[in-house]
Amino acid sequence: MTTINITAKDTKGTVEQIREVIGGTITERWGEYILNVDSEFAKGTITFLTFSWGGSSLQYDITFLDDVTLVKDASEFNPILFNYTVEGHSYHRFELENKKRKLDQYQSVIITSKDGGYNYMYLQKNIKLKIHQIQINRVKFLKKRLNDASLLNKRLYEVFHDQQHENVFAYFGTYNLKLANLVKQYNKIKQKGMIRILIKEGIVYQILSEHMLQHNKDVKRKRKPETTLTKKEISLIRKTGQKILNNVAEEYNVEELANEIGLTQAKLQEGFKLLFSRTVIEYIRHVRLEKARDLMNSTDYNISQIVYSIGFSSRSYFSKIFKRKYGISPSEFLKNKQEISAVKIA
């Protein structure tokens, strides 16, 4: 067991104290810092980016080779932590608790501690971890971004306004795959310099908003939605959703998709409603329309080519549902794009 005591006052100091124990080197480019480590303690990276409004983005893409306990002194740095695990899992407990809580894959988690207390984060050895965290200094955040935080629900409102850090708060929410897609977008950015940082900052806002929306939904439900699905079944259904996303033009049949992963059609539909808030057919239609919009933006395809590329057979049906979703017909969309191009040429 390796224990790392965190007494730093910010995210940068936190990563530096982790580096002092597990080794590695920290490099900086355009304000983004990366700890690369390949040692007897761990292999992988820890990346962080800080913002002037009191937030920071911290990412673990790492495998620890020994069980690690991060002991964080909340009297020095006590942000509101928005945690999302893309791969693997970890555990957390507050100082006065005996029981560890699991931070599961795909789960939205919000945690903050009491001033003067300690947070314990447990990271198991030989488990590949991909974790995205947003850490919020509530005083700076309220001054620069939220004003009175009136858009938050009552419980989160109280957390943000607890500027003396008098209370603990722990929300372990339901699975959210929108967050997985946002984190994926965050990591796929190819731009450089200021543009790169601005795009990342925008996605951080989206991730933060999605955490808050998820909390609002769960509070309104007053209980987590019941499901008969196991974690393994949920993972299989997520992979099916990704398969459809990657190959939108294929012909899909609900029965065949269910048989392919060894589930009943009822379970497949239950999983899609849980993870994507859509039936299988609604999801297929949704990703095809998203793909069509992207093709219109990035190619010179005409409408017939686009219809063929996304797996639709009827141009009129495509036009109808495209306008219903985006409020503009495909032909109007393309015409507007062509007019803008003509202005640029002129």
Side-chain angles (χ1 to χ4, degrees), residues 55-97:
S56 63
S57 170
L58 175 64
Q59 285 202 126
Y60 295 86
D61 185 356
I62 196 167
T63 302
F64 290 100
L65 305 179
D66 189 20
D67 290 332
V68 171
T69 302
L70 297 179
V71 184
K72 299 183 179 182
D73 185 347
S75 65
E76 296 297 333
F77 182 43
N78 187 23
I80 304 174
L81 174 66
F82 295 81
N83 191 96
Y84 187 75
T85 303
V86 177
E87 185 174 342
H89 62 266
S90 57
Y91 294 87
H92 171 273
R93 74 173 177 88
F94 294 113
E95 181 180 6
L96 299 179
E97 290 184 313

mmCIF file of all heavy atoms in Angstrom, residues 55-97:
data_model
loop_
_atom_site.group_PDB
_atom_site.id
_atom_site.type_symbol
_atom_site.label_atom_id
_atom_site.label_comp_id
_atom_site.label_asym_id
_atom_site.label_seq_id
_atom_site.Cartn_x
_atom_site.Cartn_y
_atom_site.Cartn_z
ATOM 1 N N GLY A 55 -12.044 27.100 -11.598
ATOM 2 C CA GLY A 55 -12.180 25.687 -11.935
ATOM 3 C C GLY A 55 -10.892 25.107 -12.476
ATOM 4 O O GLY A 55 -9.998 25.833 -12.922
ATOM 5 N N SER A 56 -10.793 23.799 -12.421
ATOM 6 C CA SER A 56 -9.668 23.100 -13.035
ATOM 7 C C SER A 56 -10.152 21.745 -13.534
ATOM 8 O O SER A 56 -11.090 21.169 -12.981
ATOM 9 C CB SER A 56 -8.512 22.921 -12.054
ATOM 10 O OG SER A 56 -8.896 22.101 -10.960
ATOM 11 N N SER A 57 -9.497 21.277 -14.584
ATOM 12 C CA SER A 57 -9.784 19.956 -15.137
ATOM 13 C C SER A 57 -8.585 19.063 -14.853
ATOM 14 O O SER A 57 -7.450 19.410 -15.185
ATOM 15 C CB SER A 57 -10.012 20.073 -16.646
ATOM 16 O OG SER A 57 -10.072 18.790 -17.246
ATOM 17 N N LEU A 58 -8.844 17.914 -14.225
ATOM 18 C CA LEU A 58 -7.784 16.973 -13.853
ATOM 19 C C LEU A 58 -8.153 15.599 -14.387
ATOM 20 O O LEU A 58 -9.255 15.114 -14.135
ATOM 21 C CB LEU A 58 -7.646 16.921 -12.325
ATOM 22 C CG LEU A 58 -6.678 15.908 -11.721
ATOM 23 C CD1 LEU A 58 -5.245 16.214 -12.134
ATOM 24 C CD2 LEU A 58 -6.791 15.903 -10.203
ATOM 25 N N GLN A 59 -7.237 14.993 -15.140
ATOM 26 C CA GLN A 59 -7.519 13.704 -15.744
ATOM 27 C C GLN A 59 -6.464 12.666 -15.388
ATOM 28 O O GLN A 59 -5.272 12.936 -15.501
ATOM 29 C CB GLN A 59 -7.578 13.825 -17.266
ATOM 30 C CG GLN A 59 -8.827 14.470 -17.791
ATOM 31 C CD GLN A 59 -9.085 14.084 -19.237
ATOM 32 O OE1 GLN A 59 -10.165 13.606 -19.571
ATOM 33 N NE2 GLN A 59 -8.122 14.277 -20.104
ATOM 34 N N TYR A 60 -6.939 11.498 -14.988
ATOM 35 C CA TYR A 60 -6.067 10.348 -14.782
ATOM 36 C C TYR A 60 -6.245 9.386 -15.958
ATOM 37 O O TYR A 60 -7.356 8.994 -16.277
ATOM 38 C CB TYR A 60 -6.455 9.602 -13.500
ATOM 39 C CG TYR A 60 -6.253 10.373 -12.215
ATOM 40 C CD1 TYR A 60 -7.250 11.230 -11.740
ATOM 41 C CD2 TYR A 60 -5.091 10.230 -11.468
ATOM 42 C CE1 TYR A 60 -7.073 11.931 -10.550
ATOM 43 C CE2 TYR A 60 -4.916 10.919 -10.279
ATOM 44 C CZ TYR A 60 -5.909 11.770 -9.825
ATOM 45 O OH TYR A 60 -5.738 12.462 -8.653
ATOM 46 N N ASP A 61 -5.143 9.043 -16.594
ATOM 47 C CA ASP A 61 -5.119 7.976 -17.593
ATOM 48 C C ASP A 61 -3.919 7.121 -17.214
ATOM 49 O O ASP A 61 -2.831 7.233 -17.778
ATOM 50 C CB ASP A 61 -4.969 8.558 -19.003
ATOM 51 C CG ASP A 61 -5.073 7.489 -20.092
ATOM 52 O OD1 ASP A 61 -5.179 6.294 -19.745
ATOM 53 O OD2 ASP A 61 -5.044 7.846 -21.281
ATOM 54 N N ILE A 62 -4.127 6.257 -16.219
ATOM 55 C CA ILE A 62 -2.982 5.683 -15.518
ATOM 56 C C ILE A 62 -3.331 4.334 -14.893
ATOM 57 O O ILE A 62 -4.492 4.060 -14.588
ATOM 58 C CB ILE A 62 -2.513 6.682 -14.423
ATOM 59 C CG1 ILE A 62 -1.116 6.350 -13.907
ATOM 60 C CG2 ILE A 62 -3.529 6.772 -13.291
ATOM 61 C CD1 ILE A 62 -0.503 7.481 -13.083
ATOM 62 N N THR A 63 -2.318 3.510 -14.723
ATOM 63 C CA THR A 63 -2.438 2.257 -13.985
ATOM 64 C C THR A 63 -1.433 2.284 -12.842
ATOM 65 O O THR A 63 -0.226 2.439 -13.080
ATOM 66 C CB THR A 63 -2.150 1.043 -14.881
ATOM 67 O OG1 THR A 63 -3.057 1.035 -15.984
ATOM 68 C CG2 THR A 63 -2.308 -0.261 -14.099
ATOM 69 N N PHE A 64 -1.921 2.179 -11.616
ATOM 70 C CA PHE A 64 -1.022 2.118 -10.467
ATOM 71 C C PHE A 64 -0.594 0.665 -10.248
ATOM 72 O O PHE A 64 -1.403 -0.259 -10.390
ATOM 73 C CB PHE A 64 -1.707 2.668 -9.216
ATOM 74 C CG PHE A 64 -1.919 4.156 -9.261
ATOM 75 C CD1 PHE A 64 -3.164 4.685 -9.592
ATOM 76 C CD2 PHE A 64 -0.882 5.032 -9.000
ATOM 77 C CE1 PHE A 64 -3.367 6.053 -9.655
ATOM 78 C CE2 PHE A 64 -1.070 6.403 -9.055
ATOM 79 C CZ PHE A 64 -2.314 6.922 -9.380
ATOM 80 N N LEU A 65 0.662 0.473 -9.904
ATOM 81 C CA LEU A 65 1.208 -0.867 -9.724
ATOM 82 C C LEU A 65 1.228 -1.282 -8.268
ATOM 83 O O LEU A 65 1.742 -2.352 -7.909
ATOM 84 C CB LEU A 65 2.617 -0.933 -10.331
ATOM 85 C CG LEU A 65 2.684 -0.508 -11.810
ATOM 86 C CD1 LEU A 65 4.112 -0.587 -12.323
ATOM 87 C CD2 LEU A 65 1.748 -1.352 -12.668
ATOM 88 N N ASP A 66 0.682 -0.450 -7.407
ATOM 89 C CA ASP A 66 0.474 -0.758 -5.999
ATOM 90 C C ASP A 66 -0.823 -0.082 -5.582
ATOM 91 O O ASP A 66 -1.240 0.909 -6.191
ATOM 92 C CB ASP A 66 1.650 -0.229 -5.158
ATOM 93 C CG ASP A 66 1.602 -0.705 -3.711
ATOM 94 O OD1 ASP A 66 0.919 -1.718 -3.448
ATOM 95 O OD2 ASP A 66 2.240 -0.069 -2.852
ATOM 96 N N ASP A 67 -1.485 -0.620 -4.567
ATOM 97 C CA ASP A 67 -2.675 0.051 -4.050
ATOM 98 C C ASP A 67 -2.274 1.421 -3.520
ATOM 99 O O ASP A 67 -1.303 1.550 -2.751
ATOM 100 C CB ASP A 67 -3.307 -0.776 -2.921
ATOM 101 C CG ASP A 67 -3.940 -2.061 -3.423
ATOM 102 O OD1 ASP A 67 -4.369 -2.093 -4.597
ATOM 103 O OD2 ASP A 67 -3.996 -3.037 -2.659
ATOM 104 N N VAL A 68 -3.026 2.450 -3.925
ATOM 105 C CA VAL A 68 -2.683 3.821 -3.553
ATOM 106 C C VAL A 68 -3.838 4.452 -2.782
ATOM 107 O O VAL A 68 -5.003 4.322 -3.168
ATOM 108 C CB VAL A 68 -2.369 4.667 -4.804
ATOM 109 C CG1 VAL A 68 -2.235 6.146 -4.448
ATOM 110 C CG2 VAL A 68 -1.093 4.176 -5.474
ATOM 111 N N THR A 69 -3.498 5.134 -1.700
ATOM 112 C CA THR A 69 -4.471 5.933 -0.965
ATOM 113 C C THR A 69 -4.044 7.391 -1.025
ATOM 114 O O THR A 69 -2.934 7.739 -0.600
ATOM 115 C CB THR A 69 -4.578 5.501 0.510
ATOM 116 O OG1 THR A 69 -4.938 4.124 0.579
ATOM 117 C CG2 THR A 69 -5.635 6.326 1.236
ATOM 118 N N LEU A 70 -4.909 8.237 -1.598
ATOM 119 C CA LEU A 70 -4.667 9.680 -1.592
ATOM 120 C C LEU A 70 -5.368 10.265 -0.368
ATOM 121 O O LEU A 70 -6.593 10.165 -0.236
ATOM 122 C CB LEU A 70 -5.220 10.325 -2.860
ATOM 123 C CG LEU A 70 -4.621 9.901 -4.202
ATOM 124 C CD1 LEU A 70 -5.318 10.640 -5.343
ATOM 125 C CD2 LEU A 70 -3.134 10.168 -4.249
ATOM 126 N N VAL A 71 -4.605 10.848 0.525
ATOM 127 C CA VAL A 71 -5.166 11.460 1.732
ATOM 128 C C VAL A 71 -5.116 12.969 1.544
ATOM 129 O O VAL A 71 -4.045 13.585 1.604
ATOM 130 C CB VAL A 71 -4.377 11.044 2.992
ATOM 131 C CG1 VAL A 71 -5.047 11.618 4.243
ATOM 132 C CG2 VAL A 71 -4.278 9.526 3.098
ATOM 133 N N LYS A 72 -6.270 13.579 1.305
ATOM 134 C CA LYS A 72 -6.324 14.999 0.952
ATOM 135 C C LYS A 72 -6.753 15.831 2.159
ATOM 136 O O LYS A 72 -7.828 15.606 2.745
ATOM 137 C CB LYS A 72 -7.300 15.219 -0.206
ATOM 138 C CG LYS A 72 -6.898 14.461 -1.470
ATOM 139 C CD LYS A 72 -7.845 14.761 -2.623
ATOM 140 C CE LYS A 72 -7.416 14.018 -3.888
ATOM 141 N NZ LYS A 72 -8.293 14.315 -5.038
ATOM 142 N N ASP A 73 -5.935 16.786 2.522
ATOM 143 C CA ASP A 73 -6.194 17.686 3.644
ATOM 144 C C ASP A 73 -7.143 18.794 3.181
ATOM 145 O O ASP A 73 -6.756 19.678 2.419
ATOM 146 C CB ASP A 73 -4.874 18.271 4.134
ATOM 147 C CG ASP A 73 -5.034 19.128 5.388
ATOM 148 O OD1 ASP A 73 -6.190 19.470 5.733
ATOM 149 O OD2 ASP A 73 -4.018 19.464 5.999
ATOM 150 N N ALA A 74 -8.383 18.737 3.629
ATOM 151 C CA ALA A 74 -9.394 19.697 3.163
ATOM 152 C C ALA A 74 -9.228 21.074 3.770
ATOM 153 O O ALA A 74 -9.888 22.023 3.348
ATOM 154 C CB ALA A 74 -10.793 19.159 3.477
ATOM 155 N N SER A 75 -8.347 21.219 4.767
ATOM 156 C CA SER A 75 -8.121 22.547 5.334
ATOM 157 C C SER A 75 -7.273 23.403 4.407
ATOM 158 O O SER A 75 -7.251 24.628 4.510
ATOM 159 C CB SER A 75 -7.431 22.423 6.705
ATOM 160 O OG SER A 75 -6.140 21.863 6.559
ATOM 161 N N GLU A 76 -6.566 22.758 3.467
ATOM 162 C CA GLU A 76 -5.711 23.473 2.528
ATOM 163 C C GLU A 76 -6.394 23.701 1.174
ATOM 164 O O GLU A 76 -6.321 24.768 0.592
ATOM 165 C CB GLU A 76 -4.405 22.696 2.330
ATOM 166 C CG GLU A 76 -3.554 22.595 3.585
ATOM 167 C CD GLU A 76 -3.069 23.953 4.073
ATOM 168 O OE1 GLU A 76 -2.929 24.882 3.249
ATOM 169 O OE2 GLU A 76 -2.854 24.102 5.290
ATOM 170 N N PHE A 77 -7.020 22.671 0.660
ATOM 171 C CA PHE A 77 -7.662 22.756 -0.665
ATOM 172 C C PHE A 77 -8.921 21.904 -0.614
ATOM 173 O O PHE A 77 -8.858 20.689 -0.534
ATOM 174 C CB PHE A 77 -6.692 22.252 -1.734
ATOM 175 C CG PHE A 77 -7.210 22.342 -3.142
ATOM 176 C CD1 PHE A 77 -7.895 23.462 -3.593
ATOM 177 C CD2 PHE A 77 -6.999 21.304 -4.052
ATOM 178 C CE1 PHE A 77 -8.348 23.562 -4.898
ATOM 179 C CE2 PHE A 77 -7.451 21.385 -5.359
ATOM 180 C CZ PHE A 77 -8.122 22.517 -5.779
ATOM 181 N N ASN A 78 -10.072 22.563 -0.638
ATOM 182 C CA ASN A 78 -11.335 21.854 -0.461
ATOM 183 C C ASN A 78 -12.331 22.259 -1.546
ATOM 184 O O ASN A 78 -13.324 22.938 -1.293
ATOM 185 C CB ASN A 78 -11.918 22.153 0.925
ATOM 186 C CG ASN A 78 -13.151 21.305 1.216
ATOM 187 O OD1 ASN A 78 -13.341 20.244 0.630
ATOM 188 N ND2 ASN A 78 -13.988 21.774 2.122
ATOM 189 N N PRO A 79 -12.075 21.855 -2.783
ATOM 190 C CA PRO A 79 -12.977 22.211 -3.883
ATOM 191 C C PRO A 79 -14.222 21.332 -3.875
ATOM 192 O O PRO A 79 -14.282 20.309 -3.183
ATOM 193 C CB PRO A 79 -12.129 21.921 -5.116
ATOM 194 C CG PRO A 79 -11.279 20.755 -4.698
ATOM 195 C CD PRO A 79 -10.961 21.002 -3.241
ATOM 196 N N ILE A 80 -15.218 21.726 -4.667
ATOM 197 C CA ILE A 80 -16.300 20.813 -5.014
ATOM 198 C C ILE A 80 -15.771 19.952 -6.153
ATOM 199 O O ILE A 80 -15.321 20.466 -7.172
ATOM 200 C CB ILE A 80 -17.564 21.566 -5.460
ATOM 201 C CG1 ILE A 80 -18.012 22.547 -4.383
ATOM 202 C CG2 ILE A 80 -18.693 20.583 -5.780
ATOM 203 C CD1 ILE A 80 -19.168 23.437 -4.816
ATOM 204 N N LEU A 81 -15.815 18.658 -5.960
ATOM 205 C CA LEU A 81 -15.246 17.725 -6.930
ATOM 206 C C LEU A 81 -16.352 17.086 -7.757
ATOM 207 O O LEU A 81 -17.257 16.457 -7.215
ATOM 208 C CB LEU A 81 -14.452 16.635 -6.213
ATOM 209 C CG LEU A 81 -13.898 15.498 -7.083
ATOM 210 C CD1 LEU A 81 -12.843 16.031 -8.036
ATOM 211 C CD2 LEU A 81 -13.310 14.389 -6.211
ATOM 212 N N PHE A 82 -16.281 17.257 -9.071
ATOM 213 C CA PHE A 82 -17.190 16.595 -10.003
ATOM 214 C C PHE A 82 -16.391 15.489 -10.686
ATOM 215 O O PHE A 82 -15.475 15.769 -11.459
ATOM 216 C CB PHE A 82 -17.728 17.592 -11.025
ATOM 217 C CG PHE A 82 -18.592 18.673 -10.422
ATOM 218 C CD1 PHE A 82 -18.021 19.777 -9.814
ATOM 219 C CD2 PHE A 82 -19.975 18.572 -10.465
ATOM 220 C CE1 PHE A 82 -18.815 20.765 -9.252
ATOM 221 C CE2 PHE A 82 -20.781 19.556 -9.905
ATOM 222 C CZ PHE A 82 -20.194 20.654 -9.299
ATOM 223 N N ASN A 83 -16.722 14.249 -10.394
ATOM 224 C CA ASN A 83 -15.917 13.102 -10.815
ATOM 225 C C ASN A 83 -16.681 12.235 -11.813
ATOM 226 O O ASN A 83 -17.860 11.930 -11.621
ATOM 227 C CB ASN A 83 -15.559 12.254 -9.594
ATOM 228 C CG ASN A 83 -14.509 11.187 -9.900
ATOM 229 O OD1 ASN A 83 -13.320 11.393 -9.678
ATOM 230 N ND2 ASN A 83 -14.941 10.035 -10.386
ATOM 231 N N TYR A 84 -15.987 11.830 -12.876
ATOM 232 C CA TYR A 84 -16.579 10.907 -13.839
ATOM 233 C C TYR A 84 -15.531 9.888 -14.252
ATOM 234 O O TYR A 84 -14.436 10.252 -14.696
ATOM 235 C CB TYR A 84 -17.114 11.638 -15.076
ATOM 236 C CG TYR A 84 -17.879 10.734 -16.005
ATOM 237 C CD1 TYR A 84 -19.170 10.317 -15.667
ATOM 238 C CD2 TYR A 84 -17.330 10.274 -17.189
ATOM 239 C CE1 TYR A 84 -19.891 9.469 -16.503
ATOM 240 C CE2 TYR A 84 -18.046 9.434 -18.030
ATOM 241 C CZ TYR A 84 -19.325 9.037 -17.678
ATOM 242 O OH TYR A 84 -20.030 8.190 -18.503
ATOM 243 N N THR A 85 -15.859 8.603 -14.119
ATOM 244 C CA THR A 85 -14.936 7.524 -14.444
ATOM 245 C C THR A 85 -15.322 6.908 -15.778
ATOM 246 O O THR A 85 -16.411 6.351 -15.921
ATOM 247 C CB THR A 85 -14.964 6.437 -13.341
ATOM 248 O OG1 THR A 85 -14.638 7.044 -12.080
ATOM 249 C CG2 THR A 85 -13.964 5.342 -13.646
ATOM 250 N N VAL A 86 -14.436 7.027 -16.743
ATOM 251 C CA VAL A 86 -14.655 6.450 -18.062
ATOM 252 C C VAL A 86 -14.264 4.974 -18.077
ATOM 253 O O VAL A 86 -14.900 4.151 -18.731
ATOM 254 C CB VAL A 86 -13.856 7.220 -19.136
ATOM 255 C CG1 VAL A 86 -14.029 6.582 -20.513
ATOM 256 C CG2 VAL A 86 -14.281 8.682 -19.171
ATOM 257 N N GLU A 87 -13.218 4.636 -17.328
ATOM 258 C CA GLU A 87 -12.752 3.242 -17.273
ATOM 259 C C GLU A 87 -12.221 2.952 -15.875
ATOM 260 O O GLU A 87 -11.549 3.794 -15.263
ATOM 261 C CB GLU A 87 -11.647 3.020 -18.313
ATOM 262 C CG GLU A 87 -11.179 1.581 -18.439
ATOM 263 C CD GLU A 87 -10.200 1.365 -19.571
ATOM 264 O OE1 GLU A 87 -10.123 2.229 -20.475
ATOM 265 O OE2 GLU A 87 -9.498 0.329 -19.571
ATOM 266 N N GLY A 88 -12.514 1.743 -15.368
ATOM 267 C CA GLY A 88 -12.059 1.352 -14.046
ATOM 268 C C GLY A 88 -13.014 1.809 -12.957
ATOM 269 O O GLY A 88 -14.195 2.090 -13.201
ATOM 270 N N HIS A 89 -12.518 1.924 -11.738
ATOM 271 C CA HIS A 89 -13.309 2.398 -10.608
ATOM 272 C C HIS A 89 -12.361 2.807 -9.484
ATOM 273 O O HIS A 89 -11.175 2.475 -9.498
ATOM 274 C CB HIS A 89 -14.282 1.314 -10.108
ATOM 275 C CG HIS A 89 -13.584 0.080 -9.605
ATOM 276 N ND1 HIS A 89 -13.350 -1.019 -10.407
ATOM 277 C CD2 HIS A 89 -13.034 -0.217 -8.402
ATOM 278 C CE1 HIS A 89 -12.695 -1.939 -9.714
ATOM 279 N NE2 HIS A 89 -12.488 -1.488 -8.492
ATOM 280 N N SER A 90 -12.882 3.533 -8.510
ATOM 281 C CA SER A 90 -12.107 3.911 -7.334
ATOM 282 C C SER A 90 -13.065 3.945 -6.144
ATOM 283 O O SER A 90 -14.260 3.669 -6.293
ATOM 284 C CB SER A 90 -11.428 5.273 -7.537
ATOM 285 O OG SER A 90 -12.397 6.273 -7.831
ATOM 286 N N TYR A 91 -12.530 4.290 -4.972
ATOM 287 C CA TYR A 91 -13.351 4.355 -3.761
ATOM 288 C C TYR A 91 -13.045 5.641 -3.017
ATOM 289 O O TYR A 91 -11.953 6.211 -3.129
ATOM 290 C CB TYR A 91 -13.068 3.156 -2.853
ATOM 291 C CG TYR A 91 -13.479 1.824 -3.434
ATOM 292 C CD1 TYR A 91 -12.609 1.106 -4.246
ATOM 293 C CD2 TYR A 91 -14.742 1.295 -3.183
ATOM 294 C CE1 TYR A 91 -12.985 -0.105 -4.802
ATOM 295 C CE2 TYR A 91 -15.125 0.073 -3.726
ATOM 296 C CZ TYR A 91 -14.239 -0.618 -4.530
ATOM 297 O OH TYR A 91 -14.620 -1.819 -5.085
ATOM 298 N N HIS A 92 -14.029 6.107 -2.240
ATOM 299 C CA HIS A 92 -13.875 7.336 -1.476
ATOM 300 C C HIS A 92 -14.521 7.178 -0.103
ATOM 301 O O HIS A 92 -15.513 6.464 0.056
ATOM 302 C CB HIS A 92 -14.548 8.509 -2.209
ATOM 303 C CG HIS A 92 -14.616 9.771 -1.403
ATOM 304 N ND1 HIS A 92 -15.654 10.054 -0.526
ATOM 305 C CD2 HIS A 92 -13.745 10.819 -1.322
ATOM 306 C CE1 HIS A 92 -15.429 11.213 0.050
ATOM 307 N NE2 HIS A 92 -14.295 11.704 -0.425
ATOM 308 N N ARG A 93 -13.933 7.863 0.871
ATOM 309 C CA ARG A 93 -14.610 8.001 2.157
ATOM 310 C C ARG A 93 -14.181 9.313 2.805
ATOM 311 O O ARG A 93 -13.089 9.828 2.547
ATOM 312 C CB ARG A 93 -14.322 6.830 3.089
ATOM 313 C CG ARG A 93 -12.943 6.800 3.712
ATOM 314 C CD ARG A 93 -12.822 5.686 4.753
ATOM 315 N NE ARG A 93 -11.480 5.606 5.306
ATOM 316 C CZ ARG A 93 -11.062 6.307 6.360
ATOM 317 N NH1 ARG A 93 -11.893 7.150 6.972
ATOM 318 N NH2 ARG A 93 -9.831 6.167 6.809
ATOM 319 N N PHE A 94 -15.077 9.873 3.624
ATOM 320 C CA PHE A 94 -14.723 11.021 4.439
ATOM 321 C C PHE A 94 -14.017 10.540 5.706
ATOM 322 O O PHE A 94 -14.077 9.365 6.063
ATOM 323 C CB PHE A 94 -15.972 11.819 4.807
ATOM 324 C CG PHE A 94 -16.643 12.474 3.630
ATOM 325 C CD1 PHE A 94 -17.901 12.057 3.212
ATOM 326 C CD2 PHE A 94 -16.026 13.510 2.946
ATOM 327 C CE1 PHE A 94 -18.529 12.654 2.133
ATOM 328 C CE2 PHE A 94 -16.648 14.119 1.856
ATOM 329 C CZ PHE A 94 -17.897 13.689 1.449
ATOM 330 N N GLU A 95 -13.391 11.468 6.393
ATOM 331 C CA GLU A 95 -12.543 11.127 7.534
ATOM 332 C C GLU A 95 -13.267 10.330 8.610
ATOM 333 O O GLU A 95 -12.732 9.356 9.142
ATOM 334 C CB GLU A 95 -11.965 12.413 8.136
ATOM 335 C CG GLU A 95 -11.046 12.176 9.315
ATOM 336 C CD GLU A 95 -10.499 13.471 9.881
ATOM 337 O OE1 GLU A 95 -10.927 14.549 9.436
ATOM 338 O OE2 GLU A 95 -9.633 13.400 10.772
ATOM 339 N N LEU A 96 -14.490 10.710 8.943
ATOM 340 C CA LEU A 96 -15.192 10.084 10.060
ATOM 341 C C LEU A 96 -16.035 8.883 9.644
ATOM 342 O O LEU A 96 -16.768 8.337 10.462
ATOM 343 C CB LEU A 96 -16.077 11.119 10.757
ATOM 344 C CG LEU A 96 -15.332 12.323 11.357
ATOM 345 C CD1 LEU A 96 -16.306 13.288 12.002
ATOM 346 C CD2 LEU A 96 -14.289 11.859 12.374
ATOM 347 N N GLU A 97 -15.938 8.483 8.402
ATOM 348 C CA GLU A 97 -16.697 7.338 7.914
ATOM 349 C C GLU A 97 -15.856 6.064 7.999
ATOM 350 O O GLU A 97 -14.628 6.094 7.845
ATOM 351 C CB GLU A 97 -17.116 7.536 6.459
ATOM 352 C CG GLU A 97 -18.174 8.597 6.248
ATOM 353 C CD GLU A 97 -18.602 8.662 4.794
ATOM 354 O OE1 GLU A 97 -17.716 8.689 3.925
ATOM 355 O OE2 GLU A 97 -19.824 8.678 4.535
#
